[in-house]
Amino acid sequence: MATVSAACAAPGAAPPAVPAGERGATKIADRVVAKIAAQAAREALRDASAVRTDAHASVSVRRREGHQDFGEARVRVAVELGYPSDIGAQCGAVRRQVTQRVRELAGMSVPEVAVQIERLHAPQLERSGRGRVR
């Protein structure tokens, strides 16, 4: 009895299964993860602050392959915050939001989010012309 090849199989029939090692893989680019994390940091700061801050976030991603769906991302976020404010609460909100959004949108686990405060903006100093606290 002869075997039927995939090209000659009946219309609507399922194609033969391809072994996992031969299928290829989906990889999320680091710059995509960085954009997701930066946007999440801005969202968190917009939600956590009653005072308008010119929040800025830059992100570097360290990836470890072989972990869960699309890997693991260790994220470093640099932000500018308004001052005076609850800096600890704002950093906590950034960590939570970045972890959640990267997990949801990129399918990656985020075991570490390091938040670096680049600058503090004080409205009192902006009126006097000095602006930023370093």
Side-chain angles (χ1 to χ4, degrees):
M1 182 168 215
T3 60
V4 178
S5 70
C8 298
V18 178
E22 296 176 18
R23 273 187 256 163
T26 301
K27 183 176 179 184
I28 309 293
D30 287 355
R31 65 190 165 109
V32 172
V33 178
K35 286 181 180 184
I36 292 169
Q39 179 61 35
R42 285 189 289 275
E43 290 170 3
L45 292 174
R46 184 176 52 238
D47 294 345
S49 176
V51 179
R52 185 188 179 289
T53 61
D54 292 328
H56 143 86
S58 59
V59 179
S60 63
V61 176
R62 287 192 177 168
R63 181 185 306 244
R64 286 181 48 196
E65 299 299 329
H67 291 271
Q68 296 180 348
D69 300 324
F70 291 110
E72 181 178 271
R74 295 179 184 273
V75 180
R76 177 173 299 279
V77 181
V79 297
E80 296 182 12
L81 302 176
Y83 184 83
S85 65
D86 187 346
I87 293 171
Q90 288 182 328
C91 290
V94 167
R95 283 188 199 94
R96 285 187 297 278
Q97 186 74 1
V98 167
T99 300
Q100 177 184 356
R101 299 297 279 167
V102 170
R103 186 180 307 129
E104 288 173 353
L105 297 174
M108 301 175 78
S109 63
V110 185
E112 177 183 339
V113 177
V115 180
Q116 175 185 356
I117 301 168
E118 281 187 340
R119 291 186 178 98
L120 297 174
H121 293 279
Q124 306 88 334
L125 294 177
E126 287 178 12
R127 279 183 253 138
S128 69
R130 290 182 280 177
R132 296 180 174 168
V133 178
R134 293 181 192 246

